[in-house]
Amino acid sequence: MLAASSQKVEKVAVKLNKGLVEVYTGNGKGKTTAAFGLAFRALGWGLRVYVIQFMKLGTYGENRLASKIDSNLVVEYVGMPYFIAWEEDIPAEDRKRIRNVVIRPRGSPPEEYAEKTMKAFKTMKEQVYDGNWDVVIMDEINVAVYYDLLPLQEVLDFIDNRPIHTEIVLTGRKMPDEIIERADLITDMREVKHPYAAGVPARKGIDY
Ligand code: ATP
Ligand code: MG
């Protein structure tokens, strides 16, 4: 984890003149996978891609491949082995039977989780300012913001002060308006159909 800081910085073959801000949000499937599709395309032109996955523990198919695919790709992650939920989002009758979820009053996230998330965000920022990254993907960042693991202002400051050539991609549901205002591109994944609703559980290789 967080091994990027020890990586050697290489010159890239192609540079973006101006990096834009992209947002993939909405309740339909495809946000994270679209971001990795973009990473794949960028790598094809020799761009350097830094991905940080929030709220995740590196247990997805993409994490198994990341270190093998290209030295211009780094995929970091930061998470804890439990989910967080705000009390007010969970109906009282469901609270007892939900497992592996830390249920908190809104605004009081687990401190250790917030500290860990902030540290990973800071490392990412240092990398981006020093490291000549062309595309930075912050996967599920808005979920981290929603659970107060990362102050929104930190994210806004980073977007506003990013290096000119760096494209930024933010994914996840519940994208805050302040980020939407700053975005150049927003794709709202709308759920039309998802097999989960028909009782098909998440499938390895497709959903994780
Ligand atoms: P993916 O990682 O497959 O591109 P996503 O990033 O759009 O999905 P998230 O909101 O991050 O979706 O959801 C995480 C998990 O939930 C993934 O395993 C994803 O496949 C699954 N998922 C996404 N949308 C839905 C949905 N509408 N109903 C049920 N499960 C979903
Ligand atoms: Mg996702």
Side-chain angles (χ1 to χ4, degrees):
M1 237 190 74
L2 298 177
S5 39
S6 58
Q7 279 235 340
K8 262 220 164 123
V9 173
E10 297 164 30
K11 274 252 178 280
V12 298
V14 171
K15 270 256 175 264
L16 299 171
N17 291 328
K18 183 177 175 351
L20 302 180
V21 178
E22 304 191 24
V23 165
Y24 309 155
T25 190
N27 291 335
K29 174 179 163 70
K31 301 172 288 292
T32 298
T33 44
F36 276 95
L38 181 79
F40 193 75
R41 177 174 287 173
L43 291 166
W45 288 109
L47 296 179
R48 300 187 74 234
V49 180
Y50 188 104
V51 183
I52 176 164
Q53 298 188 287
F54 294 95
M55 322 291 300
K56 288 183 175 173
L57 282 175
T59 54
Y60 288 68
E62 57 265 30
N63 303 107
R64 300 168 68 87
L65 191 64
S67 60
K68 297 179 202 146
I69 188 170
D70 191 319
S71 62
N72 281 335
L73 173 69
V74 162
V75 180
E76 303 284 9
Y77 52 85
V78 59
M80 288 296 226
Y82 55 82
F83 296 99
I84 308 174
W86 293 145
E87 233 164 48
E88 65 192 58
D89 292 344
I90 311 248
E93 63 271 23
D94 291 343
R95 279 179 208 159
K96 278 212 186 97
R97 64 176 180 80
I98 290 178
R99 306 242 176 274
N100 202 28
V101 179
V102 173
I103 301 174
R104 292 292 183 105
R106 183 179 291 281
S108 57
E111 232 169 75
E112 49 168 10
Y113 206 154
E115 276 167 21
K116 212 172 161 185
T117 303
M118 194 53 218
K119 198 167 163 226
F121 184 79
K122 205 169 155 249
T123 303
M124 180 277 294
K125 269 197 329 195
E126 287 163 7
Q127 272 296 308
V128 174
Y129 291 134
D130 297 347
N132 206 18
W133 297 96
D134 302 288
V135 178
V136 175
I137 295 170
M138 293 181 276
D139 186 34
E140 313 298 353
I141 191 159
N142 56 312
V143 182
V145 168
Y146 180 73
Y147 288 115
D148 292 324
L149 302 175
L150 204 54
L152 174 60
Q153 196 54 51
E154 286 282 341
V155 182
L156 301 180
D157 288 347
F158 175 67
I159 294 173
D160 293 341
N161 299 307
R162 71 189 189 278
I164 181 89
H165 70 276
T166 306
E167 186 97 353
I168 305 233
V169 180
L170 305 102
T171 87
R173 301 168 191 219
K174 300 181 195 285
M175 191 58 70
D177 290 343
E178 293 88 337
I179 293 181
I180 289 174
E181 277 161 25
R182 284 165 169 79
D184 299 288
L185 180 156
I186 303 174
T187 298
D188 189 358
M189 307 285 182
R190 181 171 67 90
E191 183 187 338
V192 177
K193 257 191 179 187
H194 194 291
Y196 191 75
V200 180
R203 293 174 298 154
K204 188 178 277 182
I206 304 293
D207 295 306
Y208 65 95

